[in-house]
Amino acid sequence: FELSDPGAIRIDAQGDRWSGIARSEAQLTKTGIYRIRVQDADDNETLGYQVFLQRVVPPLVATPISFAQPLNGNIGFAGGVDFYTFSGTVGQVVSVQVSKVGGPGTPYFEVYDPNNIRIDAQGDRWTAIVRSEVRLTGSGQYVIRVYDADVNEALSYQILVQRLAPPLSTTA
């Protein structure tokens, strides 16, 4: 596929003859109507396809998550993305864990700071539980994006965010 801006300038193109899925994240720099052109990679065959478009920064809808509150989620189709948000303070350390509950996919997550800069990403096609400890780089709302590691399968999962430093509470 090709993505063109309102001035008909191509800003991105993805896909090849070997992949069953093509994916892109493109920053839109102009206001107006963008165009997506879909075609066979070699221009010599026909195919059925599905197009999925989602705004990722800032997300249209993000589920608030509190520290130590496990939540269940579901990526219901290839290319689907779930968003979570939490409030943090510069210097805090949080643990983010996403655990596969079911489905053929495997979890992958990214953590974005209040300036929409990715500060962490974890996951791969083989691991059912992905976890990371992340030092927060600013104060404000953080966004966690969860999706299938290969962006081509569905899965159900559980997400848990814990504040590690300073801890919410300690046991003497």
Side-chain angles (χ1 to χ4, degrees):
F1 72 88
E2 295 176 351
L3 175 63
S4 298
D5 71 10
I9 305 296
R10 187 173 83 175
I11 59 173
D12 198 7
Q14 297 295 324
D16 58 52
R17 69 171 59 166
W18 301 280
S19 301
I21 191 168
R23 178 178 186 266
S24 174
E25 288 188 13
Q27 184 170 0
L28 306 183
T29 59
K30 296 179 180 177
T31 300
I33 304 296
Y34 284 74
R35 182 179 69 132
I36 300 171
R37 179 176 178 248
V38 179
Q39 66 193 57
D40 172 58
D42 290 327
D43 288 328
N44 64 355
E45 298 191 58
T46 62
L47 73 147
Y49 62 90
Q50 179 182 41
V51 174
F52 176 68
L53 176 67
Q54 186 166 15
R55 184 171 79 182
V56 293
V57 178
L60 289 174
V61 177
T63 302
I65 187 168
S66 299
F67 295 122
Q69 172 196 13
L71 293 177
N72 291 325
N74 186 51
I75 303 298
F77 55 91
V81 182
D82 286 348
F83 298 92
Y84 297 89
T85 184
F86 67 93
S87 182
T89 305
V90 65
Q92 287 179 332
V93 177
V94 299
S95 167
V96 178
Q97 179 174 307
V98 181
S99 305
K100 176 179 175 172
V101 175
T106 55
Y108 187 90
F109 71 83
E110 299 173 327
V111 180
Y112 288 80
D113 74 5
N115 295 314
N116 293 321
I117 297 170
R118 188 174 78 174
I119 59 171
D120 195 29
Q122 299 294 324
D124 58 54
R125 67 171 53 157
W126 302 280
T127 308
I129 299 173
V130 290
R131 181 180 182 277
S132 184
E133 293 183 8
V134 183
R135 181 170 301 277
L136 303 184
T137 57
S139 296
Q141 287 298 116
Y142 284 76
V143 173
I144 302 170
R145 294 163 49 178
V146 178
Y147 49 93
D148 170 57
D150 285 331
V151 197
N152 65 353
E153 297 186 288
L155 77 137
S156 56
Y157 63 88
Q158 183 178 73
I159 183 171
L160 177 65
V161 180
Q162 299 252 77
R163 190 170 80 188
L164 301 179
L168 289 172
S169 63
T170 57
T171 304

